[in-house]
Amino acid sequence: MAKFEVVNHPLIQHKLTIIRDKDCSTKVFREVTNEIGMLMAYEITRDLPLEDIEIETPIMKTTQKQIAGKKLAIVPILRAGLGMVDGIMDMIPAARVGHIGMYRDPDTLEAIEYFAKFPQDIHERRVFVVDPMLATGVSAITALNQLTTKYNVKEENITFVCLVAAPEGIKALQEAHPNVDIYTAALDEKLNEHGYIIPGLGDAGDRIFGTK
Ligand code: URA
């Protein structure tokens, strides 16, 4: 089983409380969501390999460290995932960004992909799939199904990153993709009868883009 981590750094917890508040404005919600993305980038990249590099400081030649290994990609699940991308990119600006769009079929409740565009070499990259809310897990699982089957990304090279997770979503995602690491800023209580996370923060897409 891969890693499952609740990133409970005080700054992240504090900022999450700000955006959970129903009176948080769209502007502040968007800014703080990106800030949390930036802070989470620090944690999700903790195990990136390093290699030695020779450089010259103004004083002398020296051997120092630089990031080695696979190139990185960030894949937001549209549309709410977009809300965390800029913050993560601030920390890993060389990462490429792929997009995957999913909607919920109202009859079957299945997640249907309506858009996908990834870097051509995505199968050679370490991939961070981003969606603020892990509720039932259906969108996340469908996105990961696509990445692993159609685009040949190995589960071991995928990390799923969210802000708020429900236990139901964690369980479903771990069952479907046991080798994918999962990082969340909070593990909430459960889903309500409408599939919203409680206490949660409402509809993340609407709150990021001000559509309600
Ligand atoms: N998607 C959201 O945006 N919020 C939830 O609580 C559940 C799914």
Side-chain angles (χ1 to χ4, degrees):
M1 185 71 77
K3 249 185 249 157
F4 167 62
E5 193 171 318
V6 180
V7 187
N8 55 7
H9 189 287
L11 285 175
I12 293 180
Q13 298 311 302
H14 179 83
K15 288 175 189 293
L16 196 53
T17 301
I18 292 173
I19 62 171
R20 282 186 193 269
D21 188 331
K22 68 177 174 38
D23 294 326
C24 176
S25 69
T26 302
K27 177 175 180 287
V28 171
F29 192 98
R30 207 166 30 228
E31 286 169 359
V32 175
T33 299
N34 269 311
E35 287 171 12
I36 299 173
M38 191 167 72
L39 292 168
M40 288 192 76
Y42 187 79
E43 207 54 45
I44 63 182
T45 54
R46 184 178 283 281
D47 65 354
L48 290 184
L50 292 169
E51 65 187 4
D52 287 342
I53 176 178
E54 300 275 326
I55 59 158
E56 202 170 337
T57 73
I59 311 298
M60 62 178 287
K61 284 192 175 160
T62 173
T63 303
Q64 298 294 329
K65 301 287 181 196
Q66 69 175 9
I67 303 274
K70 291 188 193 318
K71 293 180 190 153
L72 309 178
I74 305 168
V75 175
I77 300 180
L78 304 181
R79 68 184 161 143
L82 291 174
M84 293 171 72
V85 172
D86 287 349
I88 298 175
M89 288 288 280
D90 283 346
M91 288 294 106
I92 45 172
R96 297 293 167 91
V97 181
H99 295 87
I100 185 159
M102 221 95 59
Y103 73 90
R104 198 87 184 267
D105 183 300
D107 299 322
T108 64
L109 298 182
E110 270 176 64
I112 312 287
E113 178 193 306
Y114 66 86
F115 182 80
K117 183 84 183 173
F118 302 119
Q120 273 181 349
D121 58 355
I122 185 105
H123 57 285
E124 293 169 3
R125 289 178 181 261
R126 174 87 183 266
V127 180
F128 299 98
V129 177
V130 183
D131 194 348
M133 309 302 277
L134 178 60
T136 60
V138 171
S139 305
I141 291 167
T142 309
L144 296 186
N145 288 348
Q146 289 293 86
L147 280 169
T148 52
T149 58
K150 203 159 155 195
Y151 297 91
N152 299 320
V153 182
K154 289 201 175 70
E155 282 192 1
E156 290 79 359
N157 291 331
I158 302 176
T159 300
F160 184 82
V161 188
C162 61
L163 295 186
V164 182
E168 296 91 327
I170 297 287
K171 182 168 181 283
L173 186 50
Q174 284 178 330
E175 278 170 15
H177 294 284
N179 298 312
V180 168
D181 290 338
I182 304 173
Y183 286 80
T184 184
L187 179 58
D188 273 12
E189 200 182 313
K190 60 178 180 178
L191 298 177
N192 70 10
E193 64 278 21
H194 305 294
Y196 280 92
I197 300 175
I198 57 173
L201 50 72
D203 186 303
D206 280 339
R207 299 201 63 194
I208 290 163
F209 296 107
T211 40
K212 218 174 210 169

